[in-house]
Amino acid sequence: MSDSQHTDPAPLWWSRPDGLADARRDGVPAPRPQADAEPGAKAGAQDPPPSEPRYDPWGARPLHVVDTGRAARGVRMWQVVALSVGTALLAGGIGGYLGVLAERRSSTSLELPQAAPGSTDRAPESVAGIAATALPGVVTLHVSGGEGSGTGTGFVLDQQGHILTNNHVVAGAKEIAVTFSTGESVTAKLVGRDSGYDLAVVKVTGVRGLRPLTLGNSQNVKVGDPVVAIGAPFDLSNTVTAGIISATGRPITAGGDKGDASDISYVDALQTDAPINPGNSGGPLLDAKAHVIGINSAIRGADKGGDGEDGDRQSGSIGLGFAIPVNQGKRVAEELIRTGRATHPVIGVTLDMQYTGDGARVAAKGEDGKPPVPGDGPGGRAGIKPGDVITKVDGERVHGGDELIIKIRAHRPGDALTLTVLREGRERTLDVVLGSANGS
């Protein structure tokens, strides 16, 4: 093959050729001779070596780059780009920092929507209105004695400083401290107490601005009436709870041992679902007019087990609270203030407390050899006989001896009652005037 027909193979695009390709062979004009060549240079002398060839990846031909100005411009472009990126990053950082500062400044002055200040006045018959009226007259009692210490509640009866509370709050007390809603605390002395009604009166002296509570009338109370209780449950003084009257005339006994009737309180109680807890004892139960209609005295606790024994009940409210009607409390308080003792109305008979039938049976034998129905007593004069079963008081049925005592004690000595008795299978009615016995 002749030289005119020989064709050098094109180098691969990633190869580095050993020599220069003949540019004219591909129709590329030959480079022009240098115009500023030195005089006397030999004709045909070899030109200085060109700069590093640049490869054309598409044509697989090395291209000579001789424009150094273009390379300088490329370097300057990268410098501009780098400077622009740096400036942008710096601007972004400064902007973020300023944004954080602005957010912090705005956070310190942030105000959330809130209702405008309004009136603090409340309707007198509302719970808040009742509480505002009654709280200045309610006190907390801290009692200490030989059997330990305890907390209870009471309320002011008059300007002389008499305060009504429960007997079980102050029983056995050696020291009684009374704290008012203002925080003022003074020492009180016992005026009188009665375990049968579970009521007691103490007195404070040297206290100005006493706010006696107004006594209502428990005969006007109806089931469903709204009520408010105030006390110091678990020593949390000035605690206000609300509810309704759940029942009236609910017979309950509390305290003591049924083997010793003189140590048991018998109450024809008002039942309420207003939460009452230990420490509420002696506090007022108030109606919608902020009048006292009862003295909070007892609660029914939840059974821990299935036997239902009192000792196995949990303390705390389950919505079964009981209050002594204020009409009964008023009479007892007046007697305690006057004489230090309260009288109990009686029918003058001995009851068989072991009787399990319906009604209250009069014992066949008396105590200590005494007749069960003294002839000169109210029951004897009314014609009650040993063995009679008393089934009703003024038309209201009684189911046991405790309930009969409760119904009797809901009255005053001298009141006239009609008793329904069952004798030898026949029912008859007897009229009796209640006698009087000193309480303990």
Side-chain angles (χ1 to χ4, degrees):
M1 183 178 296
S2 61
D3 294 337
S4 61
Q5 295 177 341
H6 176 74
T7 303
D8 294 332
L12 296 176
W13 68 270
W14 63 81
S15 67
R16 184 181 295 275
D18 294 333
L20 298 176
D22 189 352
R24 287 172 298 181
R25 188 170 52 202
D26 294 331
V28 179
R32 295 179 182 179
Q34 296 290 336
D36 54 352
E38 295 181 2
K42 294 182 180 180
Q46 187 174 359
D47 294 335
S51 61
E52 182 72 15
R54 182 178 180 185
Y55 297 95
D56 177 9
W58 307 111
R61 299 293 186 191
L63 302 178
H64 292 283
V65 178
V66 296
D67 188 358
T68 59
R70 182 176 180 185
R73 287 196 300 272
V75 173
R76 286 196 298 269
M77 182 174 293
W78 279 110
Q79 290 175 344
V80 171
V81 171
L83 181 61
S84 300
V85 171
T87 303
L89 292 175
L90 180 61
I94 294 174
Y97 177 71
L98 293 177
V100 170
L101 290 180
E103 182 180 359
R104 288 179 179 176
R105 290 194 184 99
S106 64
S107 299
T108 58
S109 60
L110 176 66
E111 290 189 10
L112 297 175
Q114 184 180 25
S119 173
T120 58
D121 294 335
R122 297 292 183 268
E125 66 275 8
S126 68
V127 174
I130 296 168
T133 300
L135 275 171
V138 180
V139 301
T140 302
L141 283 77
H142 293 94
V143 178
S144 60
E147 298 181 358
S149 60
T151 302
T153 308
F155 59 92
V156 180
L157 291 172
D158 54 30
Q159 292 290 347
Q160 287 70 46
H162 292 107
I163 294 170
L164 185 62
T165 186
N166 281 144
N167 171 71
H168 72 262
V169 171
V170 298
K174 293 184 177 180
E175 293 184 3
I176 304 172
V178 173
T179 304
F180 292 83
S181 61
T182 59
E184 180 182 5
S185 185
V186 297
T187 302
K189 68 175 184 178
L190 180 65
V191 174
R193 65 186 186 90
D194 186 274
S195 61
Y197 286 111
D198 194 21
L199 292 170
V201 173
V202 300
K203 184 178 181 180
V204 296
T205 56
V207 179
R208 296 182 178 180
L210 292 174
R211 297 278 296 273
L213 299 188
T214 302
L215 303 184
N217 192 325
S218 50
Q219 290 183 345
N220 299 332
V221 176
K222 298 297 182 183
V223 174
D225 284 348
V227 290
V228 171
I230 302 179
F234 301 101
D235 205 12
L236 299 173
S237 59
N238 304 321
T239 296
V240 177
T241 57
I244 63 169
I245 293 293
S246 306
T248 60
R250 186 73 79 193
I252 65 167
T253 58
D257 181 355
K258 291 190 177 182
D260 180 8
S262 64
D263 197 30
I264 302 174
S265 59
Y266 298 86
V267 181
D268 199 25
L270 302 175
Q271 181 181 323
T272 179
D273 67 349
I276 297 174
N277 290 285
N280 274 103
S281 294
L285 187 67
L286 305 149
D287 64 11
K289 297 180 179 179
H291 295 170
V292 180
I293 57 172
I295 302 94
N296 300 319
S297 180
I299 61 173
R300 169 63 186 257
D303 294 338
K304 291 182 180 178
D307 54 8
E309 293 296 329
D310 290 348
D312 291 332
R313 289 184 184 137
Q314 298 175 345
S315 63
S317 174
I318 59 170
L320 292 174
F322 303 96
I324 302 167
V326 71
N327 289 15
Q328 184 172 311
K330 176 179 179 294
R331 179 182 72 81
V332 173
E334 290 170 345
E335 291 187 349
L336 292 176
I337 292 172
R338 285 198 306 264
T339 67
R341 298 175 67 88
T343 58
H344 298 169
V346 295
I347 58 175
V349 300
T350 301
L351 297 177
D352 180 4
M353 302 304 290
Q354 305 302 317
Y355 179 68
T356 58
D358 194 28
R361 186 170 68 181
V362 180
K365 296 181 179 181
E367 298 175 350
D368 300 330
K370 297 180 180 178
V373 186
D376 56 352
R381 291 192 293 268
I384 299 176
K385 297 183 178 299
D388 284 351
V389 178
I390 301 173
T391 58
K392 296 179 182 178
V393 176
D394 282 344
E396 295 184 6
R397 181 168 292 279
V398 295
H399 300 89
D402 289 344
E403 193 168 340
L404 175 62
I405 296 173
I406 290 169
K407 294 296 184 184
I408 296 299
R409 289 193 179 179
H411 296 81
R412 294 173 177 265
D415 287 351
L417 302 178
T418 299
L419 303 181
T420 301
V421 301
L422 186 64
R423 182 185 300 166
E424 297 178 352
R426 297 180 58 185
E427 195 172 71
R428 62 190 69 198
T429 58
L430 303 173
D431 294 327
V432 59
V433 177
L434 296 179
S436 176
N438 288 328
S440 58

